[in-house]
Amino acid sequence: MLYIDGQWRKSESEFNVYNPANGEVIGTAADGNKSDTKNAIEAAKTAFASWSKLTAYERSRYLYKAYEIMMERKEDLARLMTLEQGKPLKAARNEVQYGADFLLWYAEEAKRIYGEVIPAPRKDQRFIAIRQPVGVVGAITPWNYPISMITRKVAPALAAGCTVVLKPAEQTPLCAIEVFKVLADAGIPKGVVNLIPSSQPAVIGEELLTNQDVKKITFTGSTEVGKYIAEMAARNVKRVSMELGGHAPFIVFEDADPVHAAKGVSLVKFLNTGQACISPNRIFVHSSIAETFTETLMDRVRKLKAGNGLEEGVSIGPLVDEAAIEKVHLQVQDALEKGASIKLGGERLNDNGLDKGLFYSPTVLSGVTKEMRIYREETFGPVAPIITFDHDEEVIEMANDTHYGLAAYVYTQNLSKALSSFEQLNFGIIGINDINPTAAAAPFGGMKESGLGREGGREGIDEYLETKLGGFSI
Ligand code: NAD
């Protein structure tokens, strides 16, 4: 179903939604089209007039209610996510919690949209700057975090006083529908949030990007599509936020505990089967501890069980589609041809019924060098590429040698090394001996081609606000 102007509506056609763990059809979604998108934008425009005039306290209460409902439905939402996206149930529960956290955080931040009184150069003059919502927001979200990527946009937009038309990824429309049921059941007035699932992203995208009534585009997805969206938005001078791809370095300095660091990598690299924008894509280990590090990592990786995320003990779910498997495998083959060694994995998994799904074995590569594709291209799969280094200055330079700039990780016990790495690495999010530097309260976003703007934290709401200056002569 489409959700437009407070109503669940049918579309002219529907498309199938599949479970990537076994290829079964798990449901259908309305296939939204251009005219549905126009209607949704119109509804959002109408609703903006009244929603933006509510007090921050009133908007906050709706978000708080949505948070409570999402928490009540946590288990059902997590199960649906595992069915639709494939991540293990425990990871799905964590994501629902993370998604709900944005509703709560922005229920609070709604009340902290402050302005400024600015000293003026003339005696008879007063300056007051206030912040107002930008208007109707067009939001486009990916499949890999199908609930939290929606609330990370919708919650701050609503808190700021904006209204939203959202197009979810075609692989995960069912999670999006359930999120919108939460918002609808929280009593959010008609037209404030609108949902257009579709199997034709470009058609919906074009309407959002060219319709004069959409004032802001917020996008999470690949850098490739993000560049097109940013270019189109620029033609119409729409505000943009971009959360794009990454190629995170993970640096293990000589003084770090190699066992602790290897455990850290095994957790963050294989999270969501490597399908995370902050997934480590180059693991730099000092040569003096590389052996212990690699052995520990391999011990941990051997224990990872691939399968249907609803089964107990499974920690590796399927990849999203055939193209993803092919991309991962090509990167591994390319690395092997150029001299890397395979320590573990490196193949599609077909045994024990996995052939019906899209599984790739958790893989460890050593001897990775900068000539290899995996050194430059985002893998988005379960491959841990190890690169050894000898000098600290060299490794920071190597880590920064990418057009991506989303996340980076550093393991060291030396305070000044930690601080100087933090300062020198050109990435928006740096985990220092920490594999999960994310929370609703913290700003998330990338430098360079990993994006524009920040989501979460105090900054997240700024993306939906304009500053208006008043000059008063008295
Ligand atoms: P994608 O770019 O293929 O798709 C993202 C969204 O864009 C989907 O909703 C898709 O339908 C839509 N889309 C595709 N073409 C479009 C077009 N022409 N017009 C309008 N919309 C269009 O990315 P994906 O495969 O869904 O997600 C994986 C990528 O997302 C990875 O690169 C990952 O790093 C990135 N990502 C980034 C963050 C972050 O916060 N920086 C978070 C999650 C994912």
Side-chain angles (χ1 to χ4, degrees), residues 201-222:
V203 173
I204 312 305
E206 195 187 0
E207 184 61 33
L208 291 174
L209 288 158
T210 53
N211 192 309
Q212 290 297 322
D213 291 328
V214 176
K215 302 299 180 202
K216 152 105 194 176
I217 297 288
T218 173
F219 172 81
T220 298
S222 60

Side-chain angles (χ1 to χ4, degrees), residues 129-301:
I130 60 167
R131 294 161 82 222
Q132 294 188 319
V134 295
V136 175
V137 172
I140 301 174
T141 53
W143 50 267
N144 63 338
Y145 285 86
I147 287 185
S148 58
M149 294 302 99
I150 293 178
T151 54
R152 205 163 77 168
K153 297 183 185 309
V154 171
L158 297 193
C162 295
T163 54
V164 178
V165 177
L166 187 135
K167 190 208 80 63
E170 51 276 30
Q171 297 87 345
T172 54
L174 303 182
C175 278
I177 288 169
E178 291 307 311
V179 172
F180 274 67
K181 283 186 189 164
V182 167
L183 300 172
D185 292 349
I188 291 174
K190 66 176 191 162
V192 173
V193 285
N194 304 273
L195 177 70
I196 310 287
S198 179
S199 68
Q200 320 155 65
V203 173
I204 312 305
E206 195 187 0
E207 184 61 33
L208 291 174
L209 288 158
T210 53
N211 192 309
Q212 290 297 322
D213 291 328
V214 176
K215 302 299 180 202
K216 152 105 194 176
I217 297 288
T218 173
F219 172 81
T220 298
S222 60
T223 296
E224 191 190 357
V225 176
K227 283 183 181 178
Y228 158 77
I229 304 261
E231 194 181 319
M232 290 286 284
R235 283 190 202 160
N236 296 296
V237 199
K238 294 189 195 301
R239 279 90 187 105
V240 288
S241 300
M242 294 274 144
E243 293 287 349
L244 309 178
H247 204 278
F250 191 111
I251 304 172
V252 188
F253 282 110
E254 188 176 10
D255 66 273
D257 173 353
V259 173
H260 183 55
K263 285 181 184 169
V265 167
S266 70
L267 289 169
V268 65
K269 174 66 240 184
F270 298 99
L271 186 73
N272 207 10
T273 316
Q275 301 171 112
C277 50
I278 60 168
S279 190
N281 223 133
R282 288 166 298 151
I283 302 164
F284 296 103
V285 187
H286 193 275
S287 55
S288 65
I289 55 169
E291 202 178 319
T292 317
F293 175 90
T294 308
E295 288 303 321
T296 312
L297 178 60
M298 285 163 62
D299 282 349
R300 306 277 298 195
V301 174

Side-chain angles (χ1 to χ4, degrees), residues 288-407:
S288 65
I289 55 169
E291 202 178 319
T292 317
F293 175 90
T294 308
E295 288 303 321
T296 312
L297 178 60
M298 285 163 62
D299 282 349
R300 306 277 298 195
V301 174
R302 269 190 210 101
K303 292 180 190 136
L304 298 175
K305 185 180 166 201
N308 187 323
L310 290 177
E311 283 168 24
E312 200 60 39
V314 163
S315 49
I316 296 286
L319 291 176
V320 66
D321 54 24
E322 288 289 344
I325 295 216
E326 205 170 304
K327 181 180 178 192
V328 170
H329 197 57
L330 276 177
Q331 286 192 5
V332 170
Q333 291 300 115
D334 170 78
L336 296 181
E337 277 162 25
K338 291 177 181 158
S341 311
I342 197 135
K343 297 292 209 179
L344 272 181
E347 61 196 359
R348 188 172 181 154
L349 294 172
N350 288 317
D351 296 344
N352 306 322
L354 297 186
D355 56 326
K356 297 196 178 65
L358 299 156
F359 292 92
Y360 197 83
S361 55
T363 300
V364 178
L365 291 175
S366 68
V368 169
T369 60
K370 64 179 182 200
E371 292 72 32
M372 301 171 188
R373 287 174 65 168
I374 200 161
Y375 195 94
R376 304 262 165 224
E377 293 174 13
E378 187 179 35
T379 304
F380 239 54
V383 185
I386 301 175
I387 303 140
T388 51
F389 72 93
D390 291 309
H391 305 290
D392 291 0
E393 314 78 61
E394 147 196 70
V395 78
I396 297 288
E397 210 170 293
M398 286 159 87
N400 281 335
D401 179 22
T402 166
H403 61 268
Y404 290 112
L406 189 58

Side-chain angles (χ1 to χ4, degrees), residues 57-68:
Y57 286 84
E58 288 167 320
R59 291 199 297 268
S60 173
R61 276 198 287 277
Y62 285 113
L63 287 170
Y64 191 75
K65 186 75 193 155
Y67 165 77
E68 286 181 324

